[in-house]
Amino acid sequence: KITLNIDHKNIEVPKGTTILEAAAEVGIDIPTLCHMKLHDMNIENKPGGCRVCVVEVKGRRNLAPACCTEVAQGMEISTHSMRAVNARRTILELILSDHPADCLVCAKSGNCELQDMAHQMGIREIHYQGAQTHYREDTSPAIIREMDKCIRCKRCETMCNHVQTVGVLSTINRGFEAVISPAFEMNLDHSVCTYCGQCVAVCPTGALTEVDETGAVIRALSDPSKTVIVQTAPAVRAALGEEFEMEAGTLVTGKMVSALRRLGFDYVFDTDFAADLTIMEEGTELLSRLGKYLAGDKEVKMPILTSCCPAWVKFFEHQFPELKDIPSTARSPQQMFGAIAKTYFADKIGVKREDLVVVSIMPCVAKKYESSRDEFAVDGNPDVDHALTTRELASLINLSNIDFNSLPEEDFDKPLGESTGAGVIFGTTGGVIEAAVRTAYEVQTGKMLPRLDFHELRGMEGLRKATIDFDGTPINIGIAHGLGNARQLLEEIKAGKSEFHAIEIMSCPGGCIGGGGQPYHHGDVEILKKRQKALYSEDKNKTLRKSHENPHIKKLYEEFLGAPMSEKAHHLLHTKYFD
Ligand code: HC0
Ligand code: SF4
């Protein structure tokens, strides 16, 4: 143990603690721009680069960066002495001298850590002349890079290289020319970027943002010749409230539906409906592969992998092309919804495909990319026209002067708005496979499940495993969230050492609740845990909690698709993968 004094408070901390961590223990907040730590997830970025966290240590000539200076016995630290404050303000002015001042039109305005800090430190004038080097803007189907706004905090590098192990982003050039970039300064859409959006989720400024589609949605909603429908992803309802000052984990399903109706959507539907549909298709595929495998068929590939996360799909297409016949061929719920909406539902309401606009609200930026993939369009008309993030929906609601907090709670429209608890838990790590187990067990064994809550599949550890007893047959299940964790399971499969029958993979830490399009969590893992809890409570409160019991799914098969994996289902609900 080390004893020291911070701002006249005595404190005892373990050896190896940084000044920043020690100060936090006694409730002292030292400002930082580059530092980031997601507790319990083994995610940390502390390059000591921004220097905003400098503090005064008695007896030392130089100020010390608090994020990467370890405490020492008897240290006396002043975190906000005038000398420290002066240095901090000067450093901030130097950063601002090389930063565009277009806050009025910046996508990050109001959510920018640099802007907040300039305000908090009372910066009114910038006494330095930066180079104001101009770097080209790089636009991809999901993410925009505006490197003029980059402050080289390297948080994105940590997420891309260490957490996701994609390795797209690194610092190139020097001095004012330095930028974070894909290799050879190529554009993101030529790189192996998965569009997971985890770099966007942690960027403190407007350097990395999602492609904004709110303008296109406003145009569609104001066009009387269009019928505009919307689907909302499972994880959105557990986070949208945070944009309206609600406590993390507040479920706002009913208010979200009302808000979407007030925005002018003709029908408000639920991606959870399509999640139930995904379970019917993916579960059937799982059981068919499993049945053959257990009967000794050497040709059949095991394990089956979930395929609903588009960043994960892009990851294995680039990094493990030799495994591309292992994931389920089922499309994601977003895309199943689009395909059913533009065929079955369009016919039902008598609207032509080109006059029906399908909008999704997603916690994810990769969903923008997924909806733009060629295989999800008919004659150039996409199944999903626009995928907005949770943040973009919040900005639309604000734009329409809707008082979100006082909205009544309303229900989704039928038929594509009806869902079970199984669909809801898709939004958190472990939820897709739990939903699959609930259906696969009953279909396989012909018996009622003795319980519905599979606590062994839940949690926040990056890699989890459990064995579920299918009435005498043990089924081994693996779960990974974060692509670095997924990579470990894929390496095992490649080496022929995988013990699993089925694996769920989600790209973002926490699953979709931690998606790159969610309200910024600023590194607070507790927020993710609260969102996760909210989804399990919505599941618990549903009358129906197994996908195969959804009456509108049954009707869809009776009226339109025939059976799971039928030719029509194959055509509309399944896909293939590319090298
Ligand atoms: Fe997800 Fe989905 S659960 S990927 O995390 O499967 O984005 O929320 O919408 O499509 O349903 C995201 C969330 C979805 C899809 C669903 C799946
Ligand atoms: Fe890396 Fe994901 Fe960002 Fe692409 S979206 S650069 S893969 S962190």
Side-chain angles (χ1 to χ4, degrees):
K1 285 273 182 185
I2 304 250
T3 42
L4 70 153
N5 182 289
I6 306 182
D7 294 349
H8 310 294
K9 288 180 183 161
N10 290 323
I11 173 177
E12 202 179 63
V13 289
K15 196 168 179 272
T17 307
T18 63
I19 296 178
L20 186 72
E21 288 162 342
E25 294 245 330
V26 280
I28 298 166
D29 191 18
I30 302 174
T32 62
L33 277 174
C34 64
H35 181 263
M36 167 187 83
K37 183 167 186 170
L38 276 78
H39 292 273
D40 306 342
M41 281 194 172
N42 211 9
I43 301 175
E44 186 166 20
N45 181 60
K46 54 169 182 181
C50 75
R51 311 311 261 194
V52 165
C53 67
V54 285
V55 296
E56 197 168 352
V57 181
K58 194 172 171 192
R60 285 204 192 176
R61 198 157 59 92
N62 294 331
L63 296 172
C67 74
C68 50
T69 307
E70 288 185 8
V71 294
Q73 184 61 33
M75 251 184 185
E76 282 183 44
I77 296 162
S78 181
T79 65
H80 286 73
S81 69
M82 276 306 125
R83 193 174 154 223
V85 166
N86 186 42
R88 211 169 276 153
R89 282 168 50 98
T90 306
I91 289 163
L92 197 57
E93 275 190 51
L94 284 167
I95 295 173
L96 292 171
S97 75
D98 191 38
H99 194 91
D102 63 350
C103 297
L104 278 179
V105 289
C106 178
K108 211 57 185 291
S109 190
N111 260 316
C112 172
E113 293 180 38
L114 184 63
Q115 188 184 47
D116 287 350
M117 197 169 286
H119 176 68
Q120 192 195 348
M121 297 220 191
I123 307 288
R124 293 287 173 272
E125 243 182 298
I126 298 164
H127 297 94
Y128 308 95
Q129 177 72 51
Q132 299 289 345
T133 349
H134 187 61
Y135 198 81
R136 76 190 149 80
E137 190 177 292
D138 172 15
T139 303
S140 70
I143 293 171
I144 302 178
R145 292 173 56 240
E146 269 194 75
M147 283 302 113
D148 292 348
K149 294 179 179 167
C150 172
I151 57 166
R152 267 85 64 191
C153 69
K154 294 176 182 271
R155 288 184 190 173
C156 58
E157 276 190 65
T158 294
M159 293 314 283
C160 191
N161 301 341
H162 302 305
V163 179
Q164 303 297 54
T165 65
V166 177
V168 165
L169 298 175
S170 56
T171 314
I172 55 162
N173 305 337
R174 303 205 138 223
F176 283 121
E177 310 280 317
V179 281
I180 316 289
S181 165
F184 312 115
E185 298 198 44
M186 71 173 86
N187 286 351
L188 215 49
D189 66 349
H190 292 152
S191 77
V192 296
C193 168
T194 63
Y195 301 128
C196 73
Q198 284 303 306
C199 52
V200 175
V202 299
C203 178
T205 69
L208 294 165
T209 53
E210 72 261 54
V211 170
D212 189 324
E213 290 181 77
T214 49
V217 172
I218 293 169
R219 279 193 292 282
L221 286 169
S222 43
D223 181 346
S225 71
K226 302 287 182 202
T227 300
V228 190
I229 71 172
V230 65
Q231 58 166 324
T232 61
V236 175
R237 66 207 67 197
L240 179 63
E242 292 163 38
E243 292 282 342
F244 301 96
E245 312 303 328
M246 291 182 193
E247 174 65 20
T250 310
L251 273 173
V252 294
T253 319
K255 287 186 189 299
M256 172 180 75
V257 173
S258 311
L260 290 164
R261 250 183 221 122
R262 279 159 180 72
L263 284 169
F265 288 99
D266 295 298
Y267 295 88
V268 181
F269 290 139
D270 200 352
T271 313
D272 294 17
F273 167 85
D276 282 336
L277 185 58
T278 301
I279 289 300
M280 299 306 291
E281 295 295 324
E282 201 169 89
T284 307
E285 196 184 344
L286 166 72
L287 290 177
S288 131
R289 264 162 71 172
L290 194 62
K292 287 185 201 154
Y293 174 79
L294 294 174
D297 184 341
K298 295 272 178 285
E299 294 295 298
V300 68
K301 299 252 171 77
M302 277 284 138
I304 189 165
L305 309 176
T306 60
S307 56
C308 39
C309 167
W312 147 237
V313 167
K314 196 163 185 289
F315 180 77
F316 74 69
E317 286 183 329
H318 287 305
Q319 314 249 354
F320 292 88
E322 66 278 39
L323 299 183
K324 73 175 188 305
D325 51 354
I326 297 214
S328 159
T329 58
R331 293 184 191 182
S332 74
Q334 162 171 274
Q335 294 308 138
M336 284 199 185
F337 180 94
I340 294 297
K342 289 215 174 169
T343 52
Y344 172 76
F345 182 68
D347 283 352
K348 248 187 191 315
I349 57 168
V351 170
K352 286 201 294 244
R353 179 181 180 99
E354 45 293 5
D355 291 330
L356 183 68
V357 178
V358 175
V359 175
S360 357
I361 313 296
M362 294 280 142
C364 173
V365 299
K367 288 284 174 193
K368 292 175 183 286
Y369 149 78
E370 181 183 59
S371 64
S372 75
R373 285 180 66 131
D374 291 342
E375 61 272 30
F376 300 138
V378 176
D379 300 329
N381 178 279
D383 292 343
V384 173
D385 296 86
H386 307 290
L388 301 185
T389 61
T390 310
R391 296 189 293 263
E392 285 174 276
L393 172 60
S395 85
L396 264 186
I397 293 171
N398 285 327
L399 200 67
S400 322
N401 201 24
I402 293 170
D403 178 8
F404 189 78
N405 293 268
S406 64
L407 285 173
E409 315 227 333
E410 292 178 7
D411 280 335
F412 289 105
D413 290 311
K414 290 184 173 44
L416 310 186
E418 197 70 29
S419 72
T420 70
V424 177
I425 57 173
F426 261 61
T428 176
T429 166
V432 179
I433 210 76
E434 181 168 342
V437 165
R438 289 182 193 172
T439 288
Y441 179 97
E442 296 203 347
V443 174
Q444 173 76 2
T445 65
K447 294 185 178 168
M448 261 257 285
L449 260 182
R451 62 184 171 128
L452 281 175
D453 295 316
F454 288 85
H455 291 284
E456 60 270 52
L457 300 173
R458 301 180 182 180
M460 270 291 178
E461 285 111 285
L463 279 173
R464 304 195 294 286
K465 58 180 175 180
T467 301
I468 309 283
D469 177 13
F470 270 42
D471 202 27
T473 311
I475 303 296
N476 298 333
I477 288 176
I479 295 164
H481 54 123
L483 291 169
N485 294 322
R487 182 184 288 280
Q488 291 184 36
L489 298 185
L490 291 170
E491 294 292 357
E492 282 174 20
I493 298 173
K494 224 166 102 175
K497 290 189 191 145
S498 183
E499 53 178 309
F500 298 115
H501 298 108
I503 296 179
E504 174 197 300
I505 295 179
M506 285 290 179
S507 298
C508 294
C512 291
I513 50 164
Q518 292 280 58
Y520 296 105
H521 55 64
H522 299 293
D524 186 349
V525 179
E526 290 310 309
I527 292 182
L528 299 187
K529 290 184 183 160
K530 286 177 185 165
R531 292 175 187 166
Q532 183 179 57
K533 213 167 138 208
L535 290 186
Y536 286 123
S537 83
E538 179 148 312
D539 166 37
K540 198 131 205 162
N541 289 332
K542 287 267 197 179
T543 331
L544 297 176
R545 297 180 62 196
K546 301 172 213 164
S547 299
H548 55 290
E549 291 181 347
N550 183 330
H552 290 276
I553 293 283
K554 289 186 198 167
K555 204 162 153 212
L556 176 68
Y557 279 108
E558 276 161 29
E559 285 182 3
F560 186 63
L561 292 167
M565 309 273 281
S566 68
E567 206 184 310
K568 198 164 195 172
H570 237 283
H571 174 63
L572 289 172
L573 308 180
H574 289 255
T575 186
K576 47 179 194 266
Y577 306 113
F578 302 91
D579 289 2

